[in-house]
Amino acid sequence: MFHVNHQPGAEIHHVDPFATPAGERSPARRLRGRLASPVTLWTAPGPAGLTVSSTLVAEGEPDRLLGLVDPEADLWAAVEESGRFAVAVLGPAHRQLADRFAGLFPSPGGLFALDEWVDTPYGPVPADAGGWVGCRLDGSRECGWALLVEATVEVVELTERAEPLLHHRGRYRTLAD
């Protein structure tokens, strides 16, 4: 049964009507689906936001954050305009929030109308996120069908212990799964 990446019960179709048939999927896409990825929410002043599961932190002097984002997303326009953005670590309780910012779940009143938010100079972050980083945009370049965004980490705020939400084989998972 197909459901929109949250707890079963809100089934729309018995099969995903948008899924590429198994025999037509690219090998690279199939490989990417087998790599578990953290689910993050990128936001920017405006506000604008996007769920991103291709995020990587590179330690160094300075620390860096890299990610693949949709160049046509409202988020990217806001990041280009402001030159900064926030990346929040999402947890298991954020499945609907992740789907909302991915454009898979309705957002009556706008993307930021629900949930509690903390305003930061980098963009709003969910009040109950497992942490967040504030980043200064350094550059971007085309990478496949996405933009590879490179930024300098300027602020890191972490909670004590937070279990991450993972994306694996087209579904949300937790470490316990």
Side-chain angles (χ1 to χ4, degrees), residues 67-69 71 140-149:
L68 295 173
V69 300
S140 67
R141 66 178 175 88
E142 288 184 15
C143 188
W145 291 328
L147 280 179
L148 175 60
V149 175

Side-chain angles (χ1 to χ4, degrees), residues 62-65 122 134-138 150-155:
D63 296 325
R64 315 284 286 175
L65 185 129
Y122 300 91
C135 299
R136 178 179 28 90
L137 177 65
D138 292 323
E150 186 174 338
T152 298
V153 174
E154 295 186 329
V155 175

Side-chain angles (χ1 to χ4, degrees), residues 83-161:
R84 62 189 190 274
F85 58 95
V87 176
V89 179
L90 299 184
H94 296 118
R95 292 172 190 237
Q96 282 188 5
L97 181 139
D99 276 344
R100 198 166 67 239
F101 279 86
L104 300 174
F105 202 80
S107 56
L111 292 173
F112 295 90
L114 303 174
D115 307 300
E116 287 187 44
W117 298 91
V118 174
D119 287 324
T120 79
Y122 300 91
V125 295
D128 60 347
W132 66 275
V133 297
C135 299
R136 178 179 28 90
L137 177 65
D138 292 323
S140 67
R141 66 178 175 88
E142 288 184 15
C143 188
W145 291 328
L147 280 179
L148 175 60
V149 175
E150 186 174 338
T152 298
V153 174
E154 295 186 329
V155 175
V156 178
E157 297 284 336
L158 298 174
T159 60
E160 269 308 303
R161 296 194 68 188

Side-chain angles (χ1 to χ4, degrees), residues 38-58:
V39 180
T40 62
L41 177 64
W42 291 35
T43 61
L50 181 68
T51 302
V52 178
S53 62
S54 298
T55 303
L56 179 69
V57 176

Side-chain angles (χ1 to χ4, degrees), residues 3-56:
H3 59 87
V4 180
N5 278 325
H6 64 282
Q7 300 300 325
E11 294 175 12
I12 299 170
H13 302 278
H14 287 34
V15 295
D16 181 350
F18 303 108
T20 302
E24 296 176 24
R25 295 181 192 141
S26 79
R29 183 177 177 98
R30 292 173 54 216
L31 171 63
R32 182 174 181 242
R34 285 173 169 78
L35 301 174
S37 302
V39 180
T40 62
L41 177 64
W42 291 35
T43 61
L50 181 68
T51 302
V52 178
S53 62
S54 298
T55 303
L56 179 69

